[in-house]
Structure formats: structure tokens, C-alpha cells
Amino acid sequence: MIENQKIKPTQVVGPLGEPLTLDSLPPADTTRWVVRRKAEVVAAVNGGLLSVDEACARYNLTLEEFASWQRAVDRSGMHGLRVTRIQYYKSLYERQQKY
């Protein structure tokens, strides 16, 4: 991440390989968070387009909520962001940690 630098990129690579800019991110008033939108916000933060604080303020997210999205992407990719599969991926990750 580029949080400590003052220079921010104008675009980063999105979760599907497309360029992401501040204008192409989900609107600030988004209430329906589909997998793609969550992944775009995580990619923007990971690429330095937004800081974690900026993303949380812009989208009215708690730090824990954003961190759970980031953890899900790190562990299982975009599939881990699906609400219907959270429990499955959580138990899968815990089983992998045991062995």
C-alpha cells in the first residue's frame, strides 16, 4: 500500500483487470454491496487510490467491515466476498490452518 506517500496513483487495476479511477469506483451512497463493488473498493485501497480511512468515510463502513472484506479477498479471492458463502470459506480456512 502507498498510504505513507503523498503521491497517489490516478488509476489502479481492478479485480477484473480493468482500470479503476476515483470516478469509476462505486458511488458514495451505495447501499447494495455486491461482490464486484466490494472487490473494487478493496482493490482501490490496496493500490493506494484510497486510504482505508477515506474508504470507510466515503462508504460509511466500519473498519471491521472493511477489514473483513480485505481478509476475504486475501484468503479466497472475490468468491470469499459472497455473503452466502462466508461460513463455508471461514470453516475451510480454519481447517487449512490446522494442517
Side-chain angles (χ1 to χ4, degrees):
M1 283 193 268
I2 310 175
E3 289 182 357
N4 295 332
Q5 295 182 359
K6 300 221 185 278
I7 300 172
K8 291 188 174 191
T10 56
Q11 69 180 20
V12 296
V13 178
L16 301 176
E18 78 288 0
L20 276 180
T21 63
L22 286 175
D23 294 333
S24 65
L25 286 173
D29 61 349
T30 299
T31 56
R32 186 168 183 271
W33 285 100
V34 295
V35 171
R36 181 186 50 80
R37 290 182 188 143
K38 292 177 186 179
E40 286 175 345
V41 173
V42 170
V45 170
N46 287 345
L49 195 60
L50 289 173
S51 70
V52 174
D53 294 333
E54 291 170 335
C56 289
R58 179 177 179 155
Y59 296 110
N60 196 25
L61 302 170
T62 64
L63 185 58
E64 291 79 17
E65 186 174 17
F66 177 78
S68 72
W69 292 359
Q70 201 165 35
R71 209 172 25 254
V73 169
D74 290 345
R75 289 180 180 171
S76 307
M78 284 181 62
H79 297 290
L81 291 170
R82 293 177 58 197
V83 174
T84 57
R85 302 294 285 176
I86 287 174
Q87 195 62 38
Y88 169 77
Y89 286 113
K90 182 179 176 184
S91 64
L92 177 66
Y93 181 74
E94 288 171 353
R95 283 195 308 264
Q96 289 173 347
Q97 292 299 318
K98 289 181 182 178
Y99 301 108

